Every structure is written in C-alpha cells, then in structure tokens.
Amino acid sequence: MCDEDSEEDDYMSDKILQQCPNTRPGLVPDRIASKYGQQKKQNNANQSNKSAFKPVRVLEKEKREDGLRKSLTSSNKGFAMLQKMGYKPGMAIGKTGSGRMEPVPIEVKFGRGGLGKEADLKRKQTNRIMMATVRRDKRQKFEVEQHDQFIQRRREVQVDRRTENDLCKSQKVCEQLDSQKDIERPLENFFWPKELLPTTKKPCTTELNEDTSELRSTAWESDDDDNDDDDDVNEEADDESSHLSSLEKLQLLTSYLRRSHKYCLWCGTNFTDDADMEANCPGDTAEAHDD
C-alpha cells in the first residue's frame, strides 16, 4: 500500500494543475464574460483582415516600384512614337545621339506644398549650412590671429624689457671700465648712466677786487653760467641720441665695450685680445649666448 500511494501524483504539483480545464474568465459575471468573448473575436477578425488587405499607400508604392522596374514597351504611346521615328531600345535621344537614355525619373510628392517648394527649402537649408561653415571658419581664423598677435606682443614686451635691463648693465660697466682708464667723459652720453655723467666747470677768470664779497659773488655767478652751459651741452647730446631706440643704443654700447675694453656683457668677462674674444665668445648678441 505504501508503494502505491508514493507512486500517485501530488495534488499540488504542476502536472495536476495542467490537467485542470481553463474556465476563464472564471468568476466574472456572464455579461462581462460575453463582452470579453466578443472583443476577442473582433480582435482576431481585425488581425486576419490586416493580413489579407493592405493600405492604399502601400499598394500605390508597390505598384509604382513594379512599374519602374519594367522597361517601356510598344504599348506605351510615347515609346511607340519614338520607334516610328527610328528609335531603338538603348539609344540616346537627340539629333546627335547625346541626349537622355532613360526616362525622366519620378519624384513622388507627399506634402501639400506647391511645385518647387521642397527644392527651395533644400536650397535655403544648404545656404544656411554653407554660411554657418563660413562664419565658423572666419571665427576660428580670427581667434588664431588674435592668439598669434597676443603672443607676438608678449614676446615684444619681454624683448624690450630684456633690452632695457641689458642697456642699464652696459652703462654701469662702461662707466667702471672708462674710469679705470681715467676717461673723464663717455664717448656718448648714453654710454654712462645719466646720474653718473660728469658736470665740468670752467675756471673762473674774474679779477680780484678789494671787496671779497664782490669777488665771491662774481665767482658764484660764473659757476652758474658754466653749469648752464654744461646742461645745454648735455641736453643737445640727449637730443641727438633721442631718435635711437634702446636696441640701437645697446648695439652701439656693446660694440664700444668689445672694441675698446675687450669686454662682453653676456659673458661677463674681459678678454685679452680680439683673438681670445673670437675664440671664447659666442657672439655679440643675447640670442647667441642663449644657444
């Protein structure tokens, strides 16, 4: 008995549930169940109709593609007229035989716009794209030019600043080297710093008077006159060198230092002679020493 009971299926298993009949909608009232059945039948009918009938748009497209795939025959009136005039399939139309070989293609129009509207819209869209491309290219070119100009201005500012610093150093070095050679005045006023330029005075040639106060006043006045003359000379020299740029002044000053004192500003060395300078100095510019 135990073996027979163990062989029977469990009443809660899937096998027992699958054997149960489908009684849907189950506990739903008859009115709703009837409506559910009618709706199901209608859906099945609609599905069968869809498979049997096609929309008009789809049928037109299929017929149009089928007609385009077929070549023209003598049943076409236009083709029959061409054949009567000596046309043969594959020939090009025209007096010289250089015309069209295929019929004008069909362009299906789905919108409600007038003839040529779609082509005009396409042309305007193409023009807008071209104009946007041109504006983008101009903007990119302008940005590149602005960037290059900015870099160039920065480089010029750095070069000018470096030139001013080198000129100031050269002036101080020139004053020291000239003083070591007992040179009382520079060859050019801008060779020395402005605050170190000498102010020479002419000796007073006034006659001695009995009144010392009168002598003292006369000497003082003559000294003032001499100072005024020296200032005039310095101003004239400054006016002569005012047209020179800082770079030109630096070139003249470094050339003087190399020629007269055998001194290179960027090497910071006094060479023994021209041969020693030529052998050990890279050049007479700051760029040569940067390398």
Side-chain angles (χ1 to χ4, degrees), residues 233-246:
V233 172
N234 292 334
E235 289 178 359
E236 292 177 358
D238 291 339
D239 292 338
E240 292 177 357
S241 62
S242 61
H243 67 281
L244 298 176
S245 63
S246 298

Side-chain angles (χ1 to χ4, degrees), residues 191-250:
F191 280 10
W192 286 12
K194 186 175 293 186
E195 62 273 9
L196 298 179
L197 290 176
T199 55
T200 58
K201 298 181 181 180
K202 297 180 181 179
C204 181
T205 59
T206 57
E207 297 180 356
L208 295 176
N209 296 325
E210 294 179 357
D211 190 356
T212 56
S213 61
E214 183 180 357
L215 174 62
R216 189 177 297 109
S217 62
T218 305
W220 180 265
E221 290 175 358
S222 63
D223 289 343
D224 291 340
D225 294 339
D226 292 339
N227 289 335
D228 293 338
D229 294 339
D230 292 336
D231 293 338
D232 294 339
V233 172
N234 292 334
E235 289 178 359
E236 292 177 358
D238 291 339
D239 292 338
E240 292 177 357
S241 62
S242 61
H243 67 281
L244 298 176
S245 63
S246 298
L247 181 60
E248 292 173 340
K249 291 180 180 179
L250 179 63

Side-chain angles (χ1 to χ4, degrees), residues 68-96:
L68 292 174
R69 283 194 296 268
K70 295 179 180 179
S71 59
L72 295 176
T73 60
S74 57
S75 60
N76 184 280
K77 293 183 179 181
F79 188 76
M81 293 175 61
L82 288 174
Q83 283 183 328
K84 290 180 181 179
M85 290 186 290
Y87 177 79
K88 295 181 181 180
M91 293 176 58
I93 61 175
K95 184 176 180 180
T96 59

Side-chain angles (χ1 to χ4, degrees), residues 3 60 72 84 86 108 126 140 144 155 221 248 258 272 291:
D3 296 336
E60 290 179 351
L72 295 176
K84 290 180 181 179
V108 181
T126 303
Q140 291 178 354
V144 171
R155 186 180 294 111
E221 290 175 358
E248 292 173 340
R258 295 173 69 88
T272 56
D291 299 336

Side-chain angles (χ1 to χ4, degrees), residues 3 15 30 34 36 41 44 52 54 56 59 66 87-88 107 132 146 148 156 162 181 188 196 198 216 254 275 291:
D3 296 336
K15 186 175 181 181
D30 295 340
S34 176
Y36 175 78
K41 290 180 180 179
N44 294 333
K54 297 181 180 179
V56 177
L59 293 175
D66 185 36
Y87 177 79
K88 295 181 181 180
E107 184 177 353
Q146 289 293 105
D148 293 342
E156 291 176 356
R162 182 176 182 179
K181 289 187 175 182
E188 297 288 346
L196 298 179
R216 189 177 297 109
T254 52
D291 299 336

Side-chain angles (χ1 to χ4, degrees), residues 158-174 190-191 246-247 249-251 253-254 257 263 265-266 284-287 289-290:
Q158 293 177 357
V159 170
D160 293 341
R161 187 177 303 169
R162 182 176 182 179
T163 301
E164 291 291 342
N165 293 335
D166 290 344
L167 179 60
C168 183
K169 294 178 183 178
S170 300
Q171 289 174 341
K172 294 179 180 179
V173 171
C174 183
F190 64 86
F191 280 10
S246 298
L247 181 60
K249 291 180 180 179
L250 179 63
Q251 291 174 348
L253 181 52
T254 52
L257 291 174
Y263 180 85
L265 173 67
W266 298 282
D284 56 353
T285 60
E287 290 76 9
H289 290 75
D290 290 340

